[in-house]
Amino acid sequence: MKRRLPAFALLPCVVLAACDAPAPRAPPAPVPALAAGDGSIQWQGRLPCADCSAIEVQLQLQRAGTRRDYILTEVYRAAAGDARFLERGQWRQQQALLHLRGSDGSRRVYALLPDGRLQPRDRHGRALLPRRDDDALVPVAATTAP
């Protein structure tokens, strides 16, 4: 003889399963419009790396009048030792894409996500594959000039 559990008996199972679900991530701090006024905005994050354990990235955009400068710091974390790289250049925003052009001629593209995070993209603005939602830089500071 088969016994069926009443629906209310499943409630504790559902509650316990919900306890194991990952907690929702708090939204990043709001980011002022990139093109509005003078000031700076800074993002940071830890991105995956093909031949190291991770890349720690810090990007600061600065705007003063018509000048739009950036400073990008990347630290490649590896067992054999870390390698630090610093890049400077100019930035421009084209819709939801942020284009960086280094003083050495390098080019990078990031997508500005609706929640203020920056996600690395290919030169044409397409998502990199494989893509994870955590592969993004989080805004950490913003200042505006008086």
Side-chain angles (χ1 to χ4, degrees):
M1 177 177 182
K2 281 189 173 180
R3 291 180 55 185
R4 293 183 67 184
L5 289 174
F8 67 86
L10 295 176
L11 183 61
C13 296
V14 173
V15 170
L16 288 175
C19 291
D20 286 342
R25 189 173 25 181
V31 177
L34 292 175
D38 293 350
S40 69
I41 303 173
Q42 183 177 330
W43 288 267
Q44 66 184 24
R46 191 174 178 101
L47 301 176
C49 178
D51 56 357
C52 64
S53 61
I55 306 170
E56 291 181 5
V57 180
Q58 182 175 353
L59 173 62
Q60 181 175 18
L61 301 183
Q62 301 166 335
R63 180 175 172 166
T66 59
R67 288 201 52 95
R68 295 178 179 193
D69 299 314
Y70 77 88
I71 301 170
L72 176 69
T73 305
E74 295 177 309
V75 179
Y76 288 72
R77 301 291 182 188
D82 297 343
R84 183 176 187 269
F85 298 93
L86 180 68
E87 179 180 301
R88 296 175 184 270
Q90 303 292 307
W91 65 271
R92 68 180 172 84
Q93 184 179 1
Q94 183 180 24
Q95 296 167 350
L97 293 178
L98 181 64
H99 297 266
L100 307 180
R101 183 171 184 196
S103 56
D104 63 355
S106 64
R107 294 180 186 263
R108 297 173 189 257
V109 178
Y110 288 89
L112 183 59
L113 303 178
D115 63 1
R117 294 179 303 144
L118 284 181
Q119 187 175 67
R121 297 293 175 105
D122 72 9
R123 291 184 63 151
H124 304 288
R126 295 181 300 239
L128 301 174
L129 298 175
R131 193 192 89 170
R132 299 178 316 187
D133 287 337
D134 289 344
D135 294 346
L137 306 179
V138 178
V140 293
T143 60
T144 55

